[in-house]
Amino acid sequence: MTAPGLPMPVPAPGLPARVRIHEVGARDGLQNESAVVPTEVKAEFVRRLVDAGLTTVEATSFVHPKWVPQLADAEQLYPMLADLDARLPVLVPNDRGLDRALALGARRIAVFGSATESFAKANLNRTVEESLAMFTPVVARAKEEQAHVRGYLSMCFGDPWEGPVPVAQVVRVCRALLDMGCDELSLGDTIGVATPGHVQALLAALNEAGVPTDRLGVHFHDTYGQALANTLAALQHGVSTVDASAGGLGGCPYAKSATGNLATEDLVWMLHGLGIETGVDLGRLTATSGWMAGQLGRPSPSRTVRALSHKE
Amino acid sequence: MTAPGLPMPVPAPGLPARVRIHEVGARDGLQNESAVVPTEVKAEFVRRLVDAGLTTVEATSFVHPKWVPQLADAEQLYPMLADLDARLPVLVPNDRGLDRALALGARRIAVFGSATESFAKANLNRTVEESLAMFTPVVARAKEEQAHVRGYLSMCFGDPWEGPVPVAQVVRVCRALLDMGCDELSLGDTIGVATPGHVQALLAALNEAGVPTDRLGVHFHDTYGQALANTLAALQHGVSTVDASAGGLGGCPYAKSATGNLATEDLVWMLHGLGIETGVDLGRLTATSGWMAGQLGRPSPSRTVRALSHKE
């Protein structure tokens, strides 16, 4: 615990008054967990996240159960969340996934593309063009059903095989995703190598290509400790949608290929310190992440969760 | 390891071209280690830090051995570093410490004050005024000996007992330290609660009180994950001296009262990504922190050290 009144809200000029946090812990955070989490626990996790004030909580993925066994219970989980007053988007990898999501009444979906050929090949077993061709009818049909579509784009800054990713290449794939009907994009630094100047350069290049900032979210990983500094740089550019994962869930930070997501609590600490509204109750969120860490049997990698959990 | 060419240098407008890192791992980092590190290991640590390109490496503290047993070997250690081509400041808590440092030829010293009454009482057993009165003759004599004097100021943003610390209070103590002869100040966020707007507000208030930015360094702790975002905010204000600790040494991040310093590697990753010169070889620095972690028998809390240490 820390003294009351902290963080002290001191606004900085030119930042958004309010930030919408796109909470990914229940989907992106859990999908790499090898031990399958019971469906009831997942439902309780989402419920607690909403109770903590998060308004957008990505709930699950309608991916083939063979690829992500952890999320094989999407059909069971999604209806358990029907009474929650929040946006509960779901990931759909393809046409079949969209069918499943739509059949359950989901009207907020997300597709997941890659800015680089190497990752498109590794993750989707397709070229970037082939993956865009695969998404086109998915997004078109989702829009016919009045669904809101988010396009995730991974490897927007660096790629483990290709190194730095040219800004123009990212802009081209972003344009393609918007042109096929995506309502918003999430710019992913999947391996956590971005730095603040690179973030602002990509955002500026997207603006120049006709993409308004209010259709862009950012999705930073803390692999090299850069996620929050990059978030600040994005806020300074006017971005007001930020992805984060409660407790920093997602990839084990102590393991090979550490790829932890930005922890929602660390983000909220900064935003509240900047006087930016989030609607989140930090104490309740921290308690939720502490509870989930208990379910997973290991401590949260979020520094804020660790600091606030130590009663002195 | 990560792909070559990362981080990709992309400058952001208005930042300094070069940052001087004030490396505190050997002093601030080690002082809370309960198991005493052999003097030869400390000397080798400082030597490796200098070899990695760090130009300012705080070496030890001439505090009474009873208070900090870990640094009781200052008299033995300091002469072992005589051949190193770097600034090797040492902390002196009082007149007696200054005597010991000057006798060994040290001409870069640092004093350690508090912005809050609670911490002055807890750490120095004095009021803020009494501690300033104690430092005044120390700094005066150091200046007579042509020594460079750094003034550390702790609890500049928040205090565990008092909560938020008023900016005017910090400015007042900073002015007193400069007026007594300190050449530079290090603004410490000892409990890691600052956020970027607060950082910029304090820097602006100091400028208004006649303190030029080039006499200010920043010293952030990563307790709530804010250290690097706060550093970015300080750089944007023109600060070009940043304290950091190799491998994030300093307080155990997994223990009660976690107070880890900003890891030098995480800082260097951001600075190099911003195209800012540091003179540091990141690979060599990471290897040094990995070596030191081995000496201490536990992994480095630096995310960059962990990421770069995983050979894939």
Side-chain angles (χ1 to χ4, degrees):
Chain A
M1 296 304 290
T2 194
L6 295 170
M8 179 162 93
V10 186
L15 301 186
R18 189 177 174 87
V19 160
R20 184 169 65 83
I21 297 173
H22 186 105
E23 169 60 45
V24 301
R27 195 273 304 166
D28 189 8
L30 290 183
Q31 70 184 9
N32 292 321
E33 290 291 328
S34 48
V36 173
V37 176
T39 308
E40 294 68 28
V41 172
K42 290 175 187 165
E44 177 68 13
F45 185 37
V46 173
R47 185 173 304 275
R48 289 186 187 216
L49 292 169
V50 172
D51 283 349
L54 289 157
T55 56
T56 307
V57 180
E58 199 161 295
T60 188
S61 170
F62 288 89
V63 64
H64 193 291
K66 188 175 119 188
W67 300 118
V68 187
Q70 180 66 259
L71 304 182
D73 60 355
E75 254 90 8
Q76 290 72 52
L77 175 62
Y78 191 78
M80 293 168 73
L81 311 173
D83 64 314
L84 294 180
D85 182 23
R87 299 162 166 178
L88 301 172
V90 295
L91 197 68
V92 300
N94 52 30
D95 222 46
R96 174 74 188 109
L98 179 65
D99 287 341
R100 295 167 59 203
L102 290 175
L104 289 171
R107 286 301 178 274
R108 286 197 163 256
I109 67 140
V111 296
F112 193 88
S114 169
T116 66
E117 293 295 344
S118 302
F119 190 66
K121 184 77 188 163
N123 195 49
L124 304 166
N125 198 27
R126 281 169 171 77
T127 66
V128 169
E129 286 309 318
E130 286 165 355
S131 65
L132 292 171
M134 176 177 72
F135 295 140
T136 301
V138 176
V139 174
R141 199 148 57 86
K143 296 310 298 174
E144 280 166 28
E145 300 288 337
Q146 275 80 49
H148 178 278
V149 182
R150 160 175 257 229
Y152 279 104
L153 195 61
S154 54
M155 304 295 173
C156 288
F157 300 93
D159 173 290
W161 300 277
E162 301 178 22
V165 178
V167 165
Q169 180 176 327
V170 181
V171 170
R172 191 179 59 78
V173 185
C174 282
R175 274 268 38 128
L177 286 167
L178 290 170
D179 290 347
M180 74 174 68
C182 286
D183 296 287
E184 72 172 30
L185 300 180
S186 169
L187 305 170
D189 180 21
T190 316
I191 58 170
V193 297
T195 46
H198 197 166
V199 171
Q200 294 184 335
L202 175 58
L203 292 167
L206 283 163
N207 294 160
E208 262 183 51
V211 182
T213 303
D214 64 9
R215 293 182 71 181
L216 298 171
V218 288
H219 184 111
F220 294 120
H221 280 216
D222 219 14
T223 320
Y224 296 84
Q226 310 294 308
L228 203 54
N230 289 337
T231 301
L232 178 62
L235 297 176
Q236 289 172 337
H237 191 88
V239 168
S240 63
T241 298
V242 180
D243 296 6
S245 176
L249 283 177
C252 177
Y254 307 107
K256 201 174 148 184
S257 302
T259 53
N261 282 295
L262 172 60
T264 311
E265 290 85 355
D266 298 9
L267 171 64
V268 168
W269 186 280
M270 183 176 81
L271 295 175
H272 289 186
L274 286 162
I276 295 172
E277 276 182 54
T278 66
V280 172
D281 179 320
L282 183 57
R284 206 175 278 192
L285 178 60
T286 302
T288 296
S289 292
W291 169 82
M292 195 64 207
Q295 297 290 326
L296 296 173
R298 61 181 147 68
S300 163
S302 160
R303 297 190 191 258
T304 300
V305 171
R306 290 205 301 250
L308 292 180
S309 303
H310 295 123
K311 311 280 186 302
E312 316 234 357
Chain B
M1 296 303 289
T2 193
L6 294 172
M8 179 162 93
V10 186
L15 300 187
R18 188 175 174 88
V19 160
R20 184 169 67 82
I21 298 173
H22 187 106
E23 169 60 46
V24 300
R27 195 273 305 167
D28 189 9
L30 290 182
Q31 70 184 9
N32 292 320
E33 290 291 329
S34 47
V36 173
V37 177
T39 309
E40 293 68 28
V41 171
K42 290 176 186 164
E44 177 69 13
F45 186 38
V46 174
R47 185 174 303 277
R48 289 185 187 216
L49 292 169
V50 172
D51 283 349
L54 289 157
T55 57
T56 307
V57 180
E58 199 161 297
T60 186
S61 169
F62 288 90
V63 64
H64 193 290
K66 189 174 117 189
W67 301 118
V68 187
Q70 180 64 262
L71 304 182
D73 60 355
E75 255 88 9
Q76 290 74 51
L77 174 63
Y78 192 78
M80 294 168 73
L81 312 173
D83 64 315
L84 294 181
D85 183 24
R87 299 162 168 178
L88 301 172
V90 294
L91 196 69
V92 299
N94 52 30
D95 222 47
R96 173 75 188 108
L98 179 65
D99 288 340
R100 293 166 60 202
L102 290 175
L104 289 171
R107 287 301 179 274
R108 284 194 165 262
I109 66 139
V111 296
F112 192 89
S114 168
T116 67
E117 294 295 344
S118 302
F119 190 66
K121 184 74 187 167
N123 196 49
L124 304 166
N125 197 28
R126 282 170 170 77
T127 67
V128 169
E129 287 309 318
E130 287 165 354
S131 65
L132 292 172
M134 176 177 71
F135 295 140
T136 302
V138 176
V139 174
R141 197 147 59 86
K143 296 310 298 175
E144 280 167 26
E145 300 288 336
Q146 273 81 48
H148 178 278
V149 182
R150 160 176 259 230
Y152 280 104
L153 195 60
S154 54
M155 304 294 172
C156 288
F157 299 93
D159 173 289
W161 300 276
E162 301 177 22
V165 179
V167 165
Q169 180 176 329
V170 181
V171 170
R172 192 179 59 79
V173 186
C174 283
R175 275 267 39 125
L177 286 168
L178 290 170
D179 290 347
M180 74 174 68
C182 286
D183 297 287
E184 71 173 28
L185 299 180
S186 170
L187 305 171
D189 180 20
T190 316
I191 58 170
V193 297
T195 45
H198 198 166
V199 171
Q200 294 184 334
L202 176 57
L203 293 166
L206 283 163
N207 294 159
E208 262 184 52
V211 182
T213 303
D214 63 10
R215 294 181 70 181
L216 298 172
V218 288
H219 185 110
F220 294 121
H221 280 216
D222 218 15
T223 320
Y224 296 83
Q226 310 293 309
L228 204 54
N230 289 337
T231 301
L232 178 61
L235 298 175
Q236 290 172 336
H237 192 89
V239 168
S240 63
T241 299
V242 181
D243 296 6
S245 177
L249 284 177
C252 177
Y254 307 106
K256 202 175 146 183
S257 301
T259 53
N261 282 295
L262 172 61
T264 312
E265 290 83 357
D266 298 9
L267 171 64
V268 168
W269 185 280
M270 182 176 82
L271 295 175
H272 289 187
L274 286 162
I276 295 173
E277 278 184 52
T278 65
V280 172
D281 179 320
L282 184 57
R284 206 175 277 193
L285 178 60
T286 302
T288 296
S289 292
W291 169 82
M292 194 66 206
Q295 297 290 327
L296 297 173
R298 57 164 197 282
S300 163
S302 160
R303 298 190 190 258
T304 300
V305 170
R306 290 205 301 250
L308 291 179
S309 302
H310 296 124
K311 311 278 187 302
E312 316 232 355

